Amino acid sequence: MAHAQPAPARPAAHPLPPRPSAAARRPPYPPQRIAPLREALARAIGSHGGEVRFDAGSRALYATDGSNFRQVPLGVVIPRHADDVVAAVEIARRFEAPLLPRGGGTSLAGQCCNAALVLDFTKFMHEVLEVDAARRIARVQPGVPCDDIKRAAHPHGLTFGPDPATHNHCVIGGMIGNNSCGAHSVMAGKTDDNVEWLDVLLYDGTRMRAGAMDDAAIRAALARGGREGDIVRRLLQLRDRYAGEIRRRYPDIPRRVSGYNLPELLPERGFHLGRALVGSEGTCVTVLEAGVRLVTDPAARVVLVLGFDDVYAAGDHVPDVLRFGPIALEGMDAELIGYMKKKHLHQDDLHLLPPGGGWLIAEFGGDSPEAARAAAERAARALRHGRHVPHAHLVTDPDAQRRVWKVRESGLPATAFVPGMRDTWEGWEDSAVPPERLGDYLRDFRRLLDRFGYACALYGHFGQGCVHVRIDFELETRAGIDHYREFLQHAADLVVGYGGSLSGEHGDGQTRGQLLPKMFGDELMQAFREFKAIWDPDLRMNPGKLIDAYLPDENLRLGVDYRPATPRTQFHYADDRGSFARATLRCVGVGECRRERDGTMCPSYRVTRDERHSTRGRARLLFEMLRGDPIGRRGWREPAVKEALDLCLSCKGCKGDCPVGVDMATYKAEFLSHWWAGRPRPAHAYAMGLIAVWARAAARAPGLVNWTTHARGVGALARRLAGIAPSREMPRFAARTFRRRLLARDGLATRAPAPDAPRVVLWPDTFTHHFHPDVGLAAVEVLERAGFRVELPPRQRCCGRPLYDYGMLDTARRWLQAIVRDARPWLEDGTPLVVLEPSCAAVFRDELTNLLGDHADARRLAAQTHTLGEFLAHHAGGRAPGALPGRALHHAHCHQKALMGADDDARLLQDLGLDVDRPDTGCCGMAGSFGFERGHEDVSRAIGELVLLPAVRAAAPDTLLVADGFSCREQIRQETGREALHLAQVLRLAQRRGEG
């Protein structure tokens, strides 16, 4: 349904042109040229280790970025080194193919999608080549992530200043293309302020270094002549012709990102060719290398959080705070915090905000903590004597500061897919005005939103007048899209009227390209065309973006033609209105899954650096599958999707780490259930997916089974028949199951509790029951010592977790239905269920209700399920009895981190007197059956070697290794030779030592 129409308003200045745009009228690339182009690229690049991909899956993978737009590329080249790029551009020129040099693919204005040949530098060309601390310059490749530059500079007391919210995965090539900024641009400026020189390649094959040119350098270039001399000569002429208009029309504000960077050509700016190219969005040159400026990294930082009555008052006070020299000054409104509460984001961190309806977060730096604190306190004192006295909270603890910044950096995830609200989109997400006029601009902007019937939260880089929003545009009907077009024109007029910039950070791309005449006028638009033509006379570089751009309602990812397939599904997708199509649309392209450190997702991307092995890549392929072109004609039998999902570990890291909650483990199970429908699965699917069945049979003669699976020759044959990697050792079955040992109370040091003791049900999962019964016995002993009477379910059943990895969802549903039936007596009286295997707890807390739907007993079972750590922390006094001084290395299972958290476990270990090390281990790499499967073992080990396995090897021999996951313990044992313990075993050890 379209939004309510706005009240009558005067016609917008410089209205958008009628459809179609000039860019849209360009003829498409001739299909008959694509095959020869592909073959030539494969000969020149593929033979040297670079990758050339023209298959439908790869083209679908790169069809969108973080914006509202979608254009399927001709093909993709992933160069290994600069020579590959030179060869690719030469071949593109020979075949007259348009070219798109791409960064991390997070652009929000459509810069990173085009019907062109895409160059992706992020897989191979991602190095910091040199740090020259004396000159404060880093030499970097275009695919290097922003944070990698910071890490390389840190030992020298330096940093790279710009830091967008995507700083842990955005890359410098994209930052140069978009002129990215970030929270600390108050301290260090935009990317253009931090570029010393660029090594660029033109479409015609010219390679040159673009930097500042003094008079001598200019004379030398002109004397040399050639293409480089011609560029310098023509840029000088352009500068002189338009200098007056440049000085007059470009707003003098800190966040002017829109338009080409023509002020950098002025004499007073040093005629800096490199900085003039920053923000050109790949429409002029390809960057092969860059020299970026490094700045002093403050030794100490404190954060001052200020609470005002509303966000408008917060905006009014920006100049007052800026007087005290903060190195960052961010703002946000109460709507944003309300969205976070609805989505349960950072609930434990919101108390760090003082009372208010709008906030400023000011960070102060200094050579010492005392100096940084003094600067913050001066600001707080001055503000207390002004109008609208704010509430102030000074945050000095580094961990608390990090949590405050996490709240602010959650702007995008908090505003996307908010329960009970219309979906929000980019499209007018980063306008900027003079900081001293920010409060009034926010008031007028909110009035404009209200007039058009749009809702959004307001947040952003308030210290530089930049406002971020995601607005609930309706982009699937003609009426809704026309409403959006009308809004854009009035929004642009508003910001220009304030002397601002259409874009203050994200660039123009396709969203704002056609609106630029409002800001710059016709004369400078002609200057823009001439600037592009000097560098790209053939108009082949990222055509239709920024200059002579497509209209903002062309090439929409949704649009009036968006009619995805609506297949019946196994899961219910209640959070996505029961729609698998909406679930695949959930990915907004921010690319958090492409980070190389911190958190869990996406483990396979971290070792392959391949877009198709990121959560974003897989989600996008599923989205494209439902669209039907260029992939999806085979529906659920789409090979490109199957290939991309093959290295998904179903770790659920994305469920916990993805800012918008993409749940690839569920999507993979859904897809595989349809992929394998009506045809046999591979051997390992039956061997490991049905492990509960085989384990039940093996329990009759475990010794014989263990001999068979471990004897030389016979064991190798068994592994081959089961599809298990030859280098993997199959786990040994226990001589007696957990139930048998518990019945005999074998190994228990406690007496059975009194019949009237409070009851708890312990879930005997397949792995505890058949492989590690000691874990179950330890849990029984710990619970009994805590005063509980432990019972087991009446029948030995499996939650079916391994079934999901192979799409056996019909079987999984039957098993869960049987479990719910068995559990009804203790569900009705609220008896808690303690589950020792985190992946099984995850099934009951997540998959159960998603698979069975709105089922009362399923909801009860999910609510009554606890890990051992959770139960002891919240239902058994909250402290672990006993003492166990020493050191422990604690690795939490991926499913536990994603759904339940592991803080309770860590606190229990600390209560024992253990010095607990919790390295950010991510995924162990074994991930259930994944690491056992033939063909996955190398990736499995590589994931483990990222953090976990080196940490285990580095731990002292007397360090306790704690890991609740069966597969995690197996990875540790098989790769390091060390044995890890379950939390239950550690607690039992402490209790027994206390008694001894």
Side-chain angles (χ1 to χ4, degrees):
M1 180 182 294
H3 295 290
Q5 295 298 311
R10 65 178 184 273
H14 288 90
L16 290 171
R19 303 179 186 86
S21 67
R25 291 195 295 272
R26 294 189 186 103
Y29 189 73
Q32 64 272 21
R33 290 189 184 178
I34 292 178
L37 172 66
R38 179 189 67 238
E39 292 163 5
L41 288 166
R43 285 193 301 270
I45 295 168
S47 59
H48 299 141
E51 299 179 13
V52 176
R53 301 179 180 176
F54 276 66
D55 60 284
S58 294
R59 294 171 60 232
L61 193 65
Y62 288 83
T64 58
D65 52 10
S67 72
N68 294 328
F69 304 106
R70 174 183 179 272
Q71 289 176 279
V72 180
L74 306 179
V76 181
V77 170
I78 304 176
R80 190 170 284 272
H81 41 64
D83 289 345
D84 282 348
V85 184
V86 172
V89 173
E90 189 278 325
I91 292 167
R93 182 172 67 255
R94 190 193 319 162
F95 287 91
E96 300 180 311
L99 195 67
L100 167 55
R102 190 175 188 259
T106 61
S107 293
L108 296 174
Q111 300 95 318
C112 282
C113 58
N114 211 326
L117 179 66
V118 171
L119 298 176
D120 182 356
F121 302 95
T122 61
K123 185 171 184 178
F124 298 122
M125 295 180 66
H126 55 78
E127 300 296 328
V128 176
L129 301 172
E130 178 187 5
V131 173
D132 186 336
R135 297 173 59 215
R136 296 193 169 198
I137 293 176
R139 186 165 63 91
V140 299
Q141 293 181 309
V144 67
C146 176
D147 274 4
D148 283 9
I149 306 176
K150 293 178 180 291
R151 271 186 284 271
H154 182 72
H156 307 284
L158 303 172
T159 190
F160 180 60
D163 58 346
T166 54
H167 54 83
N168 61 0
H169 60 280
C170 71
V171 301
I172 190 63
M175 294 178 70
I176 291 168
N178 286 355
N179 198 6
S180 300
C181 312
H184 289 92
S185 57
V186 172
M187 172 183 74
K190 307 186 298 296
T191 297
D192 58 357
D193 299 306
N194 294 276
V195 165
E196 295 295 325
W197 51 263
L198 300 177
D199 179 3
V200 301
L201 178 67
L202 279 61
Y203 188 83
D204 64 12
T206 301
R207 184 172 179 177
M208 60 183 284
R209 176 166 291 200
M213 300 186 73
D214 57 19
D215 290 344
I218 292 172
R219 286 194 298 270
L222 294 175
R224 284 193 304 270
R227 179 74 168 105
E228 184 175 348
D230 182 61
I231 289 171
V232 172
R233 177 182 59 80
R234 294 175 64 191
L235 287 174
L236 285 169
Q237 292 172 346
L238 182 145
R239 179 197 70 183
D240 293 342
R241 188 160 57 251
Y242 294 104
E245 193 70 357
I246 292 171
R247 293 186 180 104
R248 187 175 72 84
R249 291 297 298 253
Y250 273 77
D252 184 17
I253 60 174
R255 281 298 188 96
R256 193 279 310 157
V257 169
S258 280
Y260 284 124
N261 228 356
L262 301 188
E264 295 296 339
L265 299 177
L266 296 174
E268 59 266 31
R269 302 290 280 270
F271 193 62
H272 202 303
L273 272 58
R275 293 182 179 178
L277 287 167
V278 174
S280 57
E281 302 181 3
T283 63
C284 295
V285 299
T286 297
V287 176
L288 300 177
E289 200 173 288
V292 297
R293 179 175 72 112
L294 304 176
V295 298
T296 299
D297 191 7
R301 303 174 187 230
V302 299
V303 171
L304 177 65
V305 189
L306 301 165
F308 297 87
D309 290 342
D310 53 41
V311 72
Y312 315 113
D316 292 336
H317 282 77
V318 163
D320 300 329
V321 181
L322 287 175
R323 288 191 297 112
F324 294 92
I327 61 175
L329 181 56
E330 303 290 286
M332 53 191 180
D333 71 358
E335 289 291 322
L336 184 67
I337 302 306
Y339 294 172
M340 289 185 189
K341 291 177 179 177
K342 284 185 177 182
K343 299 185 72 172
H344 309 292
L345 288 173
H346 304 295
Q347 293 184 101
D348 295 335
D349 302 329
L350 296 181
H351 72 278
L352 295 169
L353 303 180
W359 293 267
L360 292 179
I361 302 172
E363 185 176 72
F364 293 85
D367 295 333
S368 67
E370 293 76 18
R373 179 170 188 145
E377 288 177 339
R378 282 195 299 272
R381 282 196 301 271
L383 289 166
R384 277 197 291 268
H385 296 293
R387 55 194 170 86
H388 303 293
V389 178
H391 297 279
H393 184 192
L394 189 62
V395 185
T396 57
D397 176 67
D399 181 64
Q401 291 179 29
R402 179 187 59 79
R403 290 159 62 193
V404 169
W405 281 118
K406 280 294 183 185
V407 171
R408 162 56 191 90
E409 290 176 356
S410 295
L412 187 152
T415 55
F417 298 95
V418 180
M421 293 184 57
R422 295 183 299 235
D423 293 340
T424 59
W425 307 98
E426 46 281 326
W428 187 260
E429 75 287 341
D430 72 324
S431 56
V433 298
E436 62 273 14
R437 303 189 67 187
L438 179 61
D440 289 338
Y441 171 70
L442 290 174
R443 293 179 180 93
D444 283 343
F445 183 59
R446 177 61 76 185
R447 280 191 280 269
L448 179 66
L449 290 165
D450 291 344
R451 186 154 53 95
F452 275 78
Y454 289 139
C456 69
L458 303 171
Y459 62 99
H461 310 294
F462 281 15
Q464 294 200 308
C466 183
V467 182
H468 287 325
V469 291
R470 283 178 64 89
I471 301 174
D472 57 343
F473 301 125
E474 197 280 286
L475 300 176
E476 294 184 50
T477 67
R478 185 75 267 159
I481 293 169
D482 286 345
H483 199 51
Y484 163 64
R485 277 172 56 102
E486 181 73 10
F487 169 81
L488 286 183
Q489 299 185 77
H490 288 281
D493 289 342
L494 177 64
V495 76
V496 170
Y498 269 88
S501 176
L502 307 183
S503 171
E505 183 163 26
H506 300 151
D508 299 312
Q510 181 176 339
T511 301
R512 288 171 281 276
Q514 287 281 357
L515 296 167
L516 289 177
K518 293 176 176 289
M519 178 175 169
F520 292 104
D522 294 336
E523 188 173 349
L524 282 182
M525 292 306 298
Q526 178 59 28
F528 290 170
R529 294 185 182 92
E530 293 177 21
F531 181 79
K532 175 176 170 62
I534 290 170
W535 299 99
D536 176 32
D538 295 320
L539 305 181
R540 293 287 194 275
M541 296 297 297
N542 206 11
K545 310 295 175 171
L546 195 155
I547 187 68
D548 292 328
Y550 293 99
L551 290 168
D553 58 338
E554 293 179 285
N555 307 316
L556 288 175
R557 185 151 48 110
L558 300 182
V560 296
D561 297 325
Y562 176 63
R563 294 182 182 86
T566 56
R568 295 186 63 181
T569 57
Q570 299 269 18
F571 290 104
H572 284 75
Y573 303 104
D575 291 340
D576 289 296
R577 305 168 192 160
S579 167
F580 186 64
R582 188 174 185 274
T584 67
L585 189 61
R586 180 172 286 271
C587 176
V588 296
V590 72
E592 275 286 316
C593 47
R594 288 170 52 92
R595 64 192 182 196
E596 300 170 40
R597 296 170 177 84
D598 306 324
T600 303
M601 76 167 180
C602 181
S604 50
Y605 175 79
R606 292 188 185 187
V607 298
T608 67
R609 298 184 67 96
D610 195 314
E611 175 72 14
R612 65 184 157 186
H613 297 141
S614 68
T615 302
R616 179 178 75 178
R618 294 173 181 129
R620 290 294 169 79
L621 285 176
L622 287 165
F623 169 82
E624 294 288 334
M625 178 190 79
L626 296 183
R627 282 192 66 104
D629 181 39
I631 63 171
R633 294 184 180 92
R634 303 179 188 180
W636 293 110
R637 300 288 173 88
E638 177 52 59
V641 178
K642 175 64 164 57
E643 180 185 6
L645 291 172
D646 182 60
L647 291 188
C648 171
L649 284 75
S650 297
C651 68
K652 283 192 175 289
C654 50
K655 176 85 172 184
D657 291 355
C658 174
V660 288
V662 170
D663 183 4
M664 193 51 59
T666 294
Y667 305 167
K668 177 182 179 180
E670 182 74 62
F671 176 84
L672 291 178
S673 73
H674 299 278
W675 171 273
W676 291 116
R679 53 182 176 179
R681 290 170 169 82
H684 63 261
Y686 299 106
M688 289 179 274
L690 297 174
I691 184 64
V693 176
W694 310 128
R696 218 162 21 241
R700 298 173 182 173
L704 176 61
V705 175
N706 288 336
W707 178 87
T708 302
T709 56
H710 290 80
R712 193 169 184 175
V714 178
L717 177 61
R719 285 193 294 273
R720 185 163 65 250
L721 292 174
I724 294 174
S727 60
R728 286 298 191 189
E729 179 186 342
M730 296 178 71
R732 293 178 181 271
F733 290 93
R736 287 195 297 162
T737 66
F738 168 53
R739 280 181 182 268
R740 289 180 183 176
R741 291 188 61 184
L742 179 61
L743 184 63
R745 299 195 67 81
D746 174 27
L748 288 175
T750 52
R751 295 180 179 179
D756 60 347
R759 182 173 63 149
V760 61
V761 176
L762 183 66
W763 180 258
D765 63 88
T766 296
F767 304 103
T768 298
H769 185 60
H770 291 286
F771 294 97
H772 288 181
D774 187 65
V775 170
L777 294 166
V780 171
E781 190 168 317
V782 168
L783 290 167
E784 288 184 346
R785 288 180 188 274
F788 292 91
R789 176 166 53 92
V790 179
E791 296 182 4
L792 303 187
R795 298 174 184 81
Q796 180 60 36
R797 297 193 187 277
C798 178
C799 72
R801 173 61 251 179
L803 299 171
Y804 296 85
D805 296 336
Y806 306 103
M808 298 177 175
L809 298 185
D810 289 331
T811 302
R813 183 182 293 104
R814 289 196 301 272
W815 289 11
L816 287 176
Q817 288 168 339
I819 289 169
V820 170
R821 285 195 301 271
D822 288 351
R824 188 164 291 124
W826 43 270
L827 289 178
E828 290 175 351
D829 64 15
T831 302
L833 175 71
V834 173
V835 183
L836 301 176
E837 175 61 37
S839 60
C840 300
V843 168
F844 294 145
R845 294 271 279 264
D846 187 35
E847 280 94 351
L848 175 67
T849 53
N850 200 357
L851 200 55
L852 298 191
D854 190 18
H855 188 294
D857 284 338
R859 292 198 307 273
R860 290 192 188 103
L861 181 53
Q864 290 171 221
T865 296
H866 310 272
T867 66
L868 179 64
E870 283 180 325
F871 181 77
L872 292 174
H874 300 284
H875 297 272
R879 292 188 62 83
L884 191 66
R887 293 186 59 83
L889 189 155
H890 181 216
H891 165 75
H893 189 284
C894 295
H895 291 184
Q896 184 171 3
K897 286 183 283 192
L899 296 174
M900 288 84 76
D903 289 347
D904 290 328
D905 299 40
R907 280 192 288 269
L908 289 169
L909 293 170
Q910 291 166 350
D911 286 346
L912 299 177
L914 287 166
D915 182 5
V916 182
D917 181 18
R918 301 177 69 188
D920 195 355
T921 50
C923 180
C924 73
M926 189 67 86
S929 61
F930 179 88
F932 285 99
E933 295 174 14
R934 187 165 52 241
H936 288 168
E937 64 271 31
D938 290 343
V939 171
S940 168
R941 289 191 178 95
I943 292 169
E945 294 293 350
L946 291 173
V947 179
L948 175 62
L949 298 178
V952 169
R953 296 188 191 102
D958 61 349
T959 297
L960 289 174
L961 307 177
V962 186
D964 281 6
F966 172 81
S967 59
C968 305
R969 297 196 297 273
E970 278 297 305
Q971 180 81 310
I972 291 170
R973 182 182 67 81
Q974 296 199 22
E975 296 303 313
T976 71
R978 298 189 62 174
E979 296 288 340
L981 301 178
H982 191 284
L983 174 66
Q985 294 171 301
V986 177
L987 295 174
R988 180 183 63 181
L989 179 62
Q991 290 173 336
R992 289 185 175 183
R993 285 193 183 180
E995 290 183 349

